[in-house]
Each structure stands twice: as C-alpha cells, then as structure tokens.
Amino acid sequence: MSDEKLPVKAEDEGHGAVEVSEPIADPGIEPHEYRITDIDPKAADRVERQVATMFGLAGLLALGSCVAYFAIPRDAEVVFGPLSGNANNMALGLSLGLALFLIGAGAIQWAKKLMVDEEIVEERHDAHSTMEQKADITEAFNQGVQESGFTRRKLIRRSLLGAVGLLGLPAIVLLRDLGPLPGRKLYSTIWAEGIRVVNDVTLRPIKPSDLIVGQLVNAAPANLAPIQEESGVEYQNAKAKAAVIVVRIKPSEIRTPAGRENWGIDGILCYSKICTHVGCPISLYEQTTHHVLCPCHQSTFDLADGAKVIFGPAARPLPQLPLAVDSEGYLVAQSDFTEPVGPSFFERG
C-alpha cells in the first residue's frame, strides 16, 4: 500500500503554509488526433451527404406515416407465422420509429465526424456567473455553432430542419384519433324541466319527506335508465355528467346565493357530484359543517353556501340543479344545470 497522502497544507517554520503536492500527477490532455474528415475535404463532403441522406429519409418516413394512416384500413392485419398485428399500427410504428432513429443516427454521425472534437479544460468556478463569464458563455456558444458547421453546411442544416418539420405532421394527423370535437356537449346534461330525481341505486323517485335533515343521497335523473338499454357508451357519458348529490340542511343554516332563492325545497339542495377540479366523484359529507370533500385532491365545498370552494385546488363551486316538486310530490328539476359541470375546459375559460 502506498504511503502517499492526500494533499494538505502543512505549517513550515518561518514560512507559513506549504502546499503538499498531489499524490497522483495530472495526466493532462492527450495529443489531438486528426480524423480523416479533418484533413480530407472530400471525406467531409461524403459524410455530409450521408448525414443529409439520413435526415432526408427521416422526412420521407414521416410523410409515409401520414400516408399509411389514411391508406391502410384500420382493421387490416399482418401475419408473421403464429404472430399477427394491426397493419395500420405497425406501419405507423415502423415509419415513425425509423424516422426518429435516422435523425438520431445522423446527428451522431455529424457530431463524431464533422464537428470539432478537440478536448478542452475548464476550471471550476462559482455557481454565480459574472457578466464577463456570461459574455464568455455567449461567445463559446457562438463559437460552438460555428464549429459545428450548422451555419456553414447548408445541406445538413436544411435536411435536418426539413426532417424535424415533417416529423411534426404525423402528430397533427394522429389528432384525428381523438374523435370528433365535443361541440356544445360539455355545456349540457340530460337533466331537463320535469325530470324526476331518483336514487342512483334503487332508481326510486325521491320525495321531500324521504329525506331527513343532515342526510345526503347520491341521485340521478329518471331518464337515465332508458339510455342504458340503447347504448352502453352513451349511458356512461350521460351518467358521468348527470350524477348529483341531494342534501337536506336546516333552512336557517343555508346562505342562498342571489338568484337561487327558489332552487331548493324546504332545505333540500341538489348539486353536481362531479368535482370542478379534475372530475372526481364527490360524496364524503360532513353533516355538522355541511362540507363535502373530494377524495382525490381534498377540494372542499360548502353545500350550505352555494357549494363554494373553501379548500383545495378546485377553482369553481359545484354547479347547483334547480329543484321543484311535481304534482305527485316527487322532486324534479326545474331545468338543466345553468353552467357546465365538471372541470373547466378551454372554451369555458
């Protein structure tokens, strides 16, 4: 084992601190070896054409993925012995995968054979940069741009920009798979004037006398059941937007927002069950405070005060459904919600 020690500062009589030499000598930087492309312009031009070819092929593959998306039927299959797969998905995966591979391979070839590869030493410095250091960084960046040949080698620059630009087209084309635009569907539900409020489990209509003070019931519109028989998808979408909670609070404890004086029945209020943050279902009710909690991110709403947000990330109160009583004494809606339910979206602001 070597007796050499790490560098330390020792006290020398009459001379103060003395720096002890490093136990391992600094090997320095090895002499720079020139590449064939550094000394032979024809070799450099040949590599440039190779890189440009890779970038050009990447662009063609990106265009090919767009063509394949529309040209290959969605239900077409490709069979490889015991294996099979969707032809459309396979074409998209191969074309986009090869396009990304060629851009990466071209960039590596460019860096290894054309960009300046001399090693440099940079001394450590404080994390905070001075104005002079910032100027040096800017100068070094500009120097790197010049040494990379990006501004000088127009063929590589144009082919790279073309490949990257064309690679964005498949992303735009694939937006078609998101389905048709929702239009005004997010603004309305299946609630309408005269639709009865029913228990979401038993589907029994609810009368005011069925609810006691402090009780909360998960409910749904009575016209939801026929939709389930027609289409399962439409049923799930309708149920997700129309789900409500019905609660009964002492009228003296309710702070009714302006314009909603006739939206409740003897302390019975109805709100959307969908949290206005990210759309989680809400039903964790605290009777003494009239607060309802979203289990996902703890947004809390005060049902006695227009369901306004008192805690958490939700930005809007729960929409309230205006209630009335029909001729048979059952709770019904006066209309649909007067505002969209669930999380905010771009068109709503």
Side-chain angles (χ1 to χ4, degrees):
M1 181 180 293
S2 174
D3 294 333
E4 292 177 326
K5 299 180 180 179
L6 293 176
V8 296
K9 286 186 176 181
E11 295 293 334
D12 190 6
E13 294 183 2
H15 296 86
V18 177
E19 188 75 23
V20 179
S21 61
E22 294 284 346
I24 300 176
D26 184 356
I29 298 178
E30 296 180 359
H32 177 67
E33 296 183 4
Y34 288 96
R35 304 163 299 185
I36 185 64
T37 52
D38 295 328
I39 58 179
D40 185 356
K42 291 184 177 180
D45 292 340
R46 185 165 55 252
V47 173
E48 181 180 5
R49 290 192 294 270
Q50 293 173 358
V51 174
T53 300
M54 293 183 189
F55 290 159
L57 289 175
L60 291 176
L61 286 168
L63 286 176
S65 68
C66 297
V67 174
Y69 179 84
F70 292 103
I72 301 177
R74 296 299 180 88
D75 56 353
E77 289 191 358
V78 177
V79 179
F80 297 97
L83 303 178
S84 63
N86 184 277
N88 192 289
N89 291 344
M90 188 170 296
L92 291 176
L94 288 174
S95 57
L96 292 177
L98 287 174
L100 292 173
F101 171 79
L102 287 172
I103 289 178
I108 293 173
Q109 184 81 337
W110 178 11
K112 289 179 67 67
K113 295 188 176 181
L114 293 178
M115 293 184 183
V116 176
D117 68 336
E118 293 185 11
E119 295 184 359
I120 60 174
V121 175
E122 181 180 4
E123 300 294 337
R124 289 188 177 182
H125 54 78
D126 295 335
H128 175 72
S129 300
T130 63
M131 295 302 296
E132 292 77 9
Q133 290 171 330
K134 293 179 180 178
D136 291 341
I137 293 173
T138 302
E139 182 181 355
F141 175 79
N142 293 331
Q143 181 181 352
V145 172
Q146 294 296 327
E147 293 177 347
S148 69
F150 188 78
T151 57
R152 179 165 48 89
R153 299 187 181 277
K154 297 181 179 179
L155 184 59
I156 287 182
R157 183 177 73 249
R158 292 171 179 173
S159 59
L160 173 60
L161 294 177
V164 173
L166 291 173
L167 198 60
L169 289 178
I172 298 175
V173 172
L174 291 176
L175 290 175
R176 182 173 179 269
D177 275 350
L178 295 178
L181 294 175
R184 300 288 298 179
K185 292 181 180 179
L186 297 178
Y187 287 87
S188 61
T189 70
I190 61 174
W191 285 104
E193 182 180 1
I195 299 298
R196 286 182 174 178
V197 181
V198 300
N199 186 292
D200 70 343
V201 177
T202 64
L203 301 182
R204 293 180 56 185
I206 301 174
K207 291 184 175 181
S209 58
D210 296 334
L211 302 174
I212 61 174
V213 173
Q215 184 177 4
L216 182 143
V217 175
N218 294 303
N223 58 344
L224 187 62
I227 300 177
Q228 183 177 14
E229 299 175 358
E230 297 176 1
S231 172
V233 175
E234 291 184 8
Y235 167 78
Q236 294 297 336
N237 291 335
K239 183 177 182 180
K241 292 196 300 179
V244 294
I245 50 177
V246 181
V247 63
R248 187 161 199 166
I249 304 172
K250 290 182 179 180
S252 60
E253 298 177 354
I254 297 176
R255 296 176 294 279
T256 304
R260 302 186 186 181
E261 290 78 5
N262 65 337
W263 285 22
I265 306 295
D266 296 331
I268 299 175
L269 305 174
C270 183
Y271 295 99
S272 170
K273 188 178 178 178
I274 310 305
C275 180
T276 55
H277 178 218
V278 293
C280 295
I282 298 176
S283 61
L284 300 177
Y285 182 57
E286 189 178 52
Q287 177 180 342
T288 56
T289 60
H290 314 305
H291 295 169
V292 65
L293 174 73
C294 176
C296 293
H297 305 100
Q298 286 69 59
S299 292
T300 307
F301 305 86
D302 187 355
L303 299 186
D305 192 9
K308 71 177 184 179
V309 183
I310 60 173
F311 180 79
R316 301 176 187 272
L318 297 175
Q320 184 175 356
L321 184 71
L323 293 180
V325 177
D326 64 11
S327 58
E328 298 182 31
Y330 292 105
L331 293 176
V332 296
Q334 295 185 31
S335 65
D336 194 1
F337 289 100
T338 58
E339 59 180 318
V341 302
S344 299
F345 46 91
F346 288 115
E347 292 81 358
R348 183 182 183 188

